[in-house]
């Protein structure tokens, strides 16, 4: 049975009432966001594998952002990811609120697309880097990416 808050009249959904407070949330593996440096779990310094890439792609498809980010990051540390997988890693970082990591990985995806002659995909990556920089108030770099 779900009760409404008499002060606000808001009835929490079963999902909301089952969640821990935001400051108590942990990413997978019991790592808090504060325990990450530049978006990398310092405890997971082991080598990545082909399994990490497959696991990262599968997690991305399920929208399991933390698992996708961690698996793709391990795979990237083992061997640099291709352009498409960099986009998956960037999106996973974005969905976790790791804005600096998102921009760094998306910039790498931009260059990877250019190296492969995929101009339109490179432009799309550059657009999103530029827009995100502009939204942060970094107009100079944003203008470079959007120019």
């Amino acid at each position: 049975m779900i009760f409404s808050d008499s002060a606000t009249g808001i009835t929490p959904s079963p999902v909301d009432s089952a969640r821990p407070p935001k400051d108590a949330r942990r990413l997978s593996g019991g790592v808090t966001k504060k325990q990450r440096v530049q978006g990398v779990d310092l405890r997971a310094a082991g080598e990545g594998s082909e399994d990490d890439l497959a696991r990262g792609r599968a997690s991305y498809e399920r929208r399991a952002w933390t698992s996708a980010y961690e698996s793709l990051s391990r795979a990237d540390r083992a061997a640099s990811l291709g352009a498409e997988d960099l986009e998956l890693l960037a999106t996973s970082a974005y969905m976790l609120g790791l804005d600096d990591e998102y921009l760094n990985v998306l910039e790498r995806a931009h260059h990877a697309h250019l190296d492969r002659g995929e101009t339109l995909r490179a432009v799309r990556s550059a657009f999103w880097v530029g827009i995100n920089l502009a939204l942060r108030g970094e107009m100079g770099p944003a203008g470079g990416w959007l120019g």
Side-chain angles (χ1 to χ4, degrees):
M1 180 173 203
I2 298 174
F3 298 97
S4 67
D5 182 351
S6 60
T8 63
I10 296 173
T11 304
S13 73
V15 173
D16 290 337
S17 59
R19 289 185 182 156
K22 186 174 183 175
D23 58 350
R25 287 188 198 161
R26 293 187 174 272
L27 302 174
S28 70
V31 179
T32 63
K33 201 169 177 182
K34 291 179 182 177
Q35 289 173 312
R36 292 183 181 272
V37 176
Q38 294 293 322
V40 177
D41 180 355
L42 296 177
R43 299 176 321 151
E47 288 297 314
S49 67
E50 294 170 11
D51 290 340
D52 285 322
L53 182 57
R55 192 174 312 121
R57 289 172 176 164
S59 295
Y60 183 91
E61 287 296 317
R62 292 189 324 269
R63 291 174 171 69
W65 305 120
T66 302
S67 176
Y69 176 79
E70 290 174 350
S71 297
L72 291 168
S73 292
R74 278 192 302 273
D76 188 42
R77 285 192 299 271
S80 187
L81 295 177
E84 292 83 10
D85 292 321
L86 286 170
E87 288 179 350
L88 300 181
L89 178 57
T91 301
S92 299
Y94 180 83
M95 297 303 287
L96 293 173
L98 303 170
D99 296 336
D100 290 334
E101 181 72 5
Y102 164 70
L103 292 174
N104 289 334
V105 176
L106 197 56
E107 182 177 343
R108 289 178 54 209
H110 165 77
H111 291 291
H113 285 305
L114 284 178
D115 291 344
R116 292 174 53 180
E118 298 172 337
T119 306
L120 289 177
R121 294 185 84 174
V123 168
R124 183 181 62 204
S125 294
F127 169 81
W128 285 114
V129 170
I131 290 297
N132 278 274
L133 288 170
L135 290 172
R136 295 166 102 178
E138 298 179 33
M139 300 310 290
W145 281 98
L146 296 171

